[in-house]
Amino acid sequence: QPIIINATAYWAFLTNKNQYGDFSIDLCNLSDAAVSKLQSVGLKIASKEDKPEQGNYLSCKSKHAIRFYGTGGEEMTDMVQVGNGSKVKAIVSPYDWTFAGKSGKSASIYKLVITDLIPFEGAVGVGDVDLDEAL
């Protein structure tokens, strides 16, 4: 049974792999109702005292790129990278896994819709540098 949640995106590696070789996103600032529903299907909700801006969150990982969409249904995957603080709606569902003698339950993202995009501001590109300021 898919669960639809509102969240704030943090650490979105949707089209590029993270340092662990996965595509991933943390779905943060979950409502009490979302936390209750996600926990009721066996998903682990986390929070960090040193990161209060993220509130309660669900980490989602994939071996495949995570496609994401605008509110009009248009795929945005090739257009932009999602930055921390972007607002999203996600359809997630739990799945069971077993690996190297361990087992657990994780969340699959069926659909990710960006409702308020904060574009990722990555490293400065060459086009952004004023060459007249050379030392």
Side-chain angles (χ1 to χ4, degrees):
Q1 177 75 13
I3 301 166
I4 303 170
I5 58 173
N6 288 307
T8 305
Y10 278 86
W11 310 112
F13 291 89
L14 304 175
T15 58
N16 298 311
K17 292 182 179 182
N18 63 23
Q19 66 270 29
Y20 305 108
D22 296 315
F23 298 97
S24 63
I25 184 171
D26 285 350
L27 300 173
C28 301
N29 294 316
L30 300 175
S31 69
D32 291 343
V35 168
S36 178
K37 181 66 175 176
L38 294 166
Q39 287 177 329
S40 76
V41 298
L43 293 172
K44 182 181 175 191
I45 304 301
S47 64
K48 294 181 181 175
E49 263 187 47
D50 64 335
K51 303 226 185 243
E53 71 280 3
Q54 294 179 12
N56 291 315
Y57 67 92
L58 174 68
S59 292
C60 299
K61 299 174 188 167
S62 177
K63 293 294 178 191
H64 305 283
I66 300 171
R67 296 166 64 180
F68 56 99
Y69 302 85
T71 56
E74 71 283 3
E75 188 170 1
M76 298 175 65
T77 304
D78 294 328
M79 293 186 238
V80 68
Q81 288 184 317
V82 176
N84 288 347
S86 295
K87 303 295 183 200
V88 302
K89 287 187 183 288
I91 302 174
V92 300
S93 184
Y95 68 92
D96 295 311
W97 57 267
T98 302
F99 179 74
K102 295 182 180 181
S103 62
K105 196 170 286 249
S106 293
S108 283
I109 295 182
Y110 284 108
K111 189 165 189 179
L112 184 65
V113 177
I114 311 303
T115 59
D116 185 11
L117 177 67
I118 296 176
F120 174 71
E121 300 295 334
V124 175
V126 174
D128 299 325
V129 176
D130 183 353
L131 297 178
D132 291 333
E133 294 183 13
L135 300 176

